[in-house]
Amino acid sequence: MNKKHKWKASLLSAVLLTAAGTALVPSPSAQAEDAPAAAVQADRAQSTAIPESQATQIPELKWDFRADFYDKGTGRAYYNASAYDGEQFYNRTVFRDSSGKWNALEEGITVTWDYDLEKPILLGEGLGDFLDGLFSTVYDPAQGTGTTGVFFTGSKDSRSGLHYIKNYDMGQDAQQNWYSTSYFSVFLRTGDGVIKEVDGTHLRPGFIPMPDGRVLAVQYSTTAKMKEILIIDPGTGSKKHLIYASLDYYDAEGGRLLINYNKPGRPNAVYTLTDGKARPATELDMKEFSSLADQRYQAPMPNASTKPPADLQPQNLPVTQIQIHDQITARATIGGQVVHLTFVFIQNGRTMIPVRELIEQAGLEVKQQKVAGKVNSSTFSIKGPGGTVTVTAGDSTMIGYRLYVSSDVLKRIGLPVQGINWNP
């Protein structure tokens, strides 16, 4: 387990794995507040061109270039550049614009193609974490912006549908040895913007958007104790069972699935959505689905003619400005003031509020304390204008690295939640 996993496991070994509180309804003060049109909040903005005098002082390196993706809207061809000077590794993202000029993204930020979102995303400190999968930062080359948020499978704009995150749980065996296990929490965001935790499993689920707005899902069935393929309607949360099997590929245009049965030998079959019938897959079926998969999981790539010249030095290129914003999913009136929340959700009928944003916007104070005599165990105390409480298993939860508390906790420390408005 690496340091990041150890740190997360330390938090999760505390008594912070369930939630409590009261489900909230919009208050007049929250409803009267105008929602930002793009539902985003400026987080940081950096970068300028490197001065020519400074650029000449940077030693040249031997760079290798790998094509990332081509953005049709701007005509930019993006490449990942990497170099090693014998002591340190370097990594930059460069692009060739429609006029043939080369630019670089700021140091510490790289861009890659996200095949699930079918959009480019930014990678870098604070821009999302592949380990827990809660936040990603979608990059818009035309606007020069990145939007950090939770993006859902279902709608075309990724603002509603289903999303899962990977989390970690701690436990002790009979010999009192600590161990960690991973599990996946499933969230549903409906068209009105409300986010609910709807499921949890120790096996990773899979979600694929369908042309009609529904979501094709592959999840482990705890009742049947095997993989199940089903269709979920993000608008209502209703589920329709299709077949007990694993999914190899979904042909959206043809309305067909290439599946693996949950039995010895795992034979392939073709399942047709229109009639709900399955037949054994032929060799021709396998070739056809393989060709469709190759087309589906391929980013729009740059033309070979735009490949960077071998002597291009990314560290000496002008740096393109990028503004990073937070996507706001809700606005809550807490302690008489409006607080913008990047991710708030209902768990078991109770609304959970992120502590980090209360620290930044409402003056909340939080302390983490190690539990004496217990390995990898911590508790959290939070302080507000009305007092201090230690959160318990009944009124808090951890999602990724972030602590969430219920409205009951906030009320006890003098920060009552008077209402919440979800941004659709």
Side-chain angles (χ1 to χ4, degrees):
M1 187 185 297
N2 62 29
K3 291 182 179 178
K4 187 172 288 186
H5 281 174
K6 287 181 179 178
W7 183 76
K8 179 179 287 188
S10 175
L11 296 181
L12 289 167
S13 63
V15 288
L16 301 173
L17 300 177
T18 58
T22 305
L24 303 173
V25 296
S27 70
S29 57
Q31 291 174 331
E33 182 75 15
D34 290 334
V40 297
Q41 167 186 354
D43 186 37
R44 69 183 179 95
Q46 291 185 12
S47 81
T48 56
I50 298 176
E52 193 171 323
S53 59
Q54 182 181 349
T56 57
Q57 299 173 10
I58 301 175
E60 291 195 353
L61 299 169
K62 174 62 178 176
W63 291 87
D64 293 319
F65 298 95
R66 176 181 57 81
D68 266 327
F69 73 98
Y70 174 74
D71 180 59
K72 184 177 180 180
T74 59
R76 294 177 179 177
Y78 285 82
Y79 293 82
N80 176 270
S82 58
Y84 179 62
D85 64 3
E87 296 182 357
Q88 182 177 348
F89 284 99
Y90 301 87
N91 189 265
R92 297 295 292 269
T93 288
V94 300
F95 67 87
R96 182 182 186 271
D97 65 22
S98 57
S99 67
K101 295 180 180 179
W102 287 96
N103 292 262
L105 298 188
E106 62 187 272
E107 191 173 6
I109 293 182
T110 57
V111 65
T112 190
W113 188 260
D114 189 297
Y115 290 94
D116 291 328
L117 293 174
E118 296 186 347
K119 298 174 183 177
I121 61 172
L122 296 173
L123 304 178
E125 187 175 355
L127 299 180
D129 189 346
F130 279 136
L131 289 177
D132 60 54
L134 181 57
F135 291 97
S136 298
T137 301
V138 169
Y139 177 47
D140 183 347
Q143 300 297 322
T145 60
T147 302
T148 302
V150 180
F151 299 93
F152 293 79
T153 299
S155 63
K156 291 183 179 180
D157 61 5
S158 303
R159 291 184 60 82
S160 63
L162 293 158
H163 181 88
Y164 71 82
I165 67 138
K166 187 177 184 179
N167 220 321
Y168 296 88
D169 196 0
M170 290 290 294
Q172 283 183 296
D173 58 21
Q175 288 73 42
Q176 300 300 303
N177 296 314
W178 286 92
Y179 65 89
S180 66
T181 57
S182 62
Y183 67 96
F184 298 86
S185 299
V186 179
F187 296 91
L188 170 69
R189 189 183 193 194
T190 50
D192 56 5
V194 177
I195 301 172
K196 295 181 180 181
E197 185 176 3
V198 294
D199 206 349
T201 174
H202 285 280
L203 295 177
R204 185 178 68 180
F207 303 123
I208 303 173
M210 301 179 70
D212 60 5
R214 295 182 297 170
V215 176
L216 190 69
V218 183
Q219 293 180 285
Y220 182 77
S221 170
T222 54
T223 54
K225 300 188 183 307
M226 63 179 69
K227 285 286 187 71
E228 175 188 19
I229 302 175
L230 59 157
I231 293 177
I232 301 177
D233 184 345
T236 62
S238 63
K239 300 179 181 180
K240 177 185 177 182
H241 168 81
L242 296 181
I243 194 169
Y244 290 112
S246 297
L247 179 65
D248 273 357
Y249 188 76
Y250 166 48
D251 172 18
E253 185 176 347
R256 301 176 303 159
L257 313 178
L258 180 65
I259 64 172
N260 281 318
Y261 283 114
N262 299 310
K263 55 185 178 182
R266 297 182 58 76
N268 286 107
V270 176
Y271 181 93
T272 306
L273 292 172
T274 53
D275 58 14
K277 294 181 180 179
R279 60 171 176 80
T282 65
E283 185 176 345
L284 181 61
D285 290 324
M286 300 300 292
K287 289 181 178 179
E288 185 177 355
F289 275 101
S290 178
S291 176
L292 289 171
D294 288 342
Q295 298 172 33
R296 165 68 174 81
Y297 295 106
Q298 193 174 70
M301 299 302 289
N303 188 286
S305 64
T306 63
K307 183 178 179 180
D311 60 351
L312 186 70
Q313 296 293 306
Q315 75 276 26
N316 295 338
L317 294 174
V319 179
T320 296
Q321 180 180 3
I322 298 179
Q323 284 191 324
I324 309 297
H325 303 275
D326 283 337
Q327 182 187 77
I328 305 305
T329 60
R331 292 169 294 112
T333 303
I334 300 177
Q337 67 182 89
V338 174
V339 177
H340 293 81
L341 304 172
T342 57
F343 189 67
V344 56
F345 61 96
I346 297 173
Q347 184 184 67
N348 298 324
R350 297 161 178 175
T351 303
M352 306 304 294
I353 311 292
V355 165
R356 189 194 74 167
E357 282 146 18
L358 296 179
I359 295 173
E360 297 169 350
Q361 302 178 56
L364 195 72
E365 296 181 26
V366 180
K367 290 184 179 180
Q368 179 184 356
Q369 295 178 322
K370 180 177 173 58
V371 177
K374 292 187 178 181
V375 179
N376 294 327
S377 185
S378 299
T379 61
F380 295 87
S381 62
I382 62 175
K383 179 181 179 181
T388 301
V389 298
T390 298
V391 295
T392 68
D395 50 32
S396 63
T397 189
M398 293 293 298
I399 298 294
Y401 297 112
R402 305 189 182 209
L403 175 66
Y404 291 75
V405 297
S406 71
S407 57
D408 279 355
V409 171
L410 299 179
K411 183 179 180 180
R412 296 201 300 270
I413 61 172
L415 288 173
V417 180
Q418 289 104 358
I420 185 168
N421 253 13
W422 302 86
N423 288 333

